Amino acid sequence: MPSSTSYRAVLFDFDGTLVDSESAHHGIWNEILAEFEAHIDEIEYRRESSGVPVPQEAERLIRTRGLDIERDALVERKVSRTVDTFTRKPLALMGHATEMLEWCREAGLSMALITGSGRVEIMPTLEHYTLSPLFDHIVTRTDVTHSKPHPESYLTGLERLGIDAGAAVAIEDTCHGVESARAAGIDVIAIPNAYSKDQDFSRATVVLESLVQARDWIDARRAKR
């Protein structure tokens, strides 16, 4: 059930929630894996990889493919390729992403970006769409010791915003993100996408289909309080 305290902040995931990046990340991983004569098909990517921070995915791929590369080197290769790709070819935003962010600002809600991506990986997109000024705080994988699904990223966001968990609602697209937010005690709206739709969202406070529905859901509950 939603908390009894009126929401004062919305905490947004990035990949797959605000920006349509999952297919691009899948493609980048396969470009890299091709160098090792390996591959991730779409079914496996949806089941195992969607929403997983790069270090954890690198560990999984080294283990399951027997890759002859150290984890940190594989992470660096993925990060470098991601920055280069997204700089050359800006990603599309998810439907109504800018509208949702602007609505939150007009409604007087604080906003934080809570992402399992590293800061350098998201900057090309943030800069292309001039999104950074909309957020009060940005918490990335490189700002914490333990990234999603650990709750540290969300707990850090709450601390920086100066609010309790009950005053916030998170918006996520994967079960890993939902787990992270719920473990921090935060209500969470799940908006599955094509890559995450078959994941388990049973821990989400509510499962919706779009950011427009999320806006209306938040607005309706603010109005009742």
Side-chain angles (χ1 to χ4, degrees), residues 68-87:
D68 184 19
I69 188 173
E70 295 295 324
R71 188 201 73 161
D72 289 351
L74 184 56
V75 169
E76 176 56 34
R77 193 173 298 189
K78 171 60 167 63
V79 169
S80 177
R81 194 77 58 90
T82 297
V83 172
D84 179 64
T85 300
F86 293 175
T87 299

Side-chain angles (χ1 to χ4, degrees), residues 6 218-225:
S6 181
I218 295 168
D219 194 34
R221 279 145 189 80
R222 291 177 70 249
K224 291 177 181 179
R225 295 172 180 174

Side-chain angles (χ1 to χ4, degrees), residues 83-103:
V83 172
D84 179 64
T85 300
F86 293 175
T87 299
R88 288 186 291 104
K89 186 177 180 181
L91 295 164
L93 296 178
M94 300 299 281
H96 304 283
T98 302
E99 176 186 328
M100 177 65 174
L101 294 171
E102 291 175 347
W103 176 82

Side-chain angles (χ1 to χ4, degrees), residues 76-150:
E76 176 56 34
R77 193 173 298 189
K78 171 60 167 63
V79 169
S80 177
R81 194 77 58 90
T82 297
V83 172
D84 179 64
T85 300
F86 293 175
T87 299
R88 288 186 291 104
K89 186 177 180 181
L91 295 164
L93 296 178
M94 300 299 281
H96 304 283
T98 302
E99 176 186 328
M100 177 65 174
L101 294 171
E102 291 175 347
W103 176 82
C104 288
R105 182 62 65 208
E106 292 170 2
L109 293 162
S110 298
M111 287 184 289
L113 188 64
I114 311 294
T115 175
S117 290
R119 191 166 294 267
V120 296
E121 296 165 78
I122 66 173
M123 287 312 298
T125 305
L126 292 179
E127 291 174 353
H128 180 75
Y129 293 104
T130 319
L131 294 181
S132 295
L134 295 174
F135 296 102
D136 298 288
H137 296 283
I138 296 174
V139 180
T140 73
R141 181 183 76 244
T142 45
D143 297 315
V144 296
T145 302
H146 306 287
S147 191
K148 300 176 185 180
H150 193 280

Side-chain angles (χ1 to χ4, degrees), residues 29-40 65 67-68:
W29 271 122
N30 274 333
E31 287 177 11
I32 295 169
L33 288 174
E35 300 165 10
F36 298 90
E37 299 184 348
H39 182 77
I40 314 174
R65 269 67 178 179
L67 305 182
D68 184 19

